[in-house]
Amino acid sequence: EGLQPTTSTGKAIKSGLQSAGTNLALLPAGLARGLYATASQAATTVAGLMGAGVGADAYNEARDKGKGKAASLAYGIPQGVFEFV
């Protein structure tokens, strides 16, 4: 699994880098959507994709911690919604 940060600063930096990577990966989707839609629609598309990614990550995190499918969904869905909003 490699080296994992142990300090809160290290964890925050890791989280920021992961978020930046996700944002860069979603940039083409937002730009493509922006070519045929309004800026608001393009932003909504990207926010929806980001929310889905965060929700999926939270679901997988809960599953990794031994939670069942229903409990993992109960944890992941709100996380995705909060990211979207």
Side-chain angles (χ1 to χ4, degrees), residues 46-74:
V46 173
L49 292 170
M50 290 175 68
V54 167
D57 287 345
Y59 172 85
N60 288 327
E61 178 184 324
R63 293 290 288 161
D64 289 344
K65 291 182 178 179
K67 302 292 183 187
K69 291 180 182 178
S72 297
L73 280 173

Side-chain angles (χ1 to χ4, degrees), residues 15-83:
S15 176
L17 291 173
Q18 288 173 328
S19 181
T22 300
N23 290 341
L24 288 174
L26 295 176
L27 185 60
L31 292 174
R33 176 89 173 139
L35 294 176
Y36 61 89
T38 66
S40 176
Q41 290 170 326
T44 300
T45 298
V46 173
L49 292 170
M50 290 175 68
V54 167
D57 287 345
Y59 172 85
N60 288 327
E61 178 184 324
R63 293 290 288 161
D64 289 344
K65 291 182 178 179
K67 302 292 183 187
K69 291 180 182 178
S72 297
L73 280 173
Y75 177 71
I77 289 173
Q79 297 298 321
V81 170
F82 294 148
E83 180 69 21

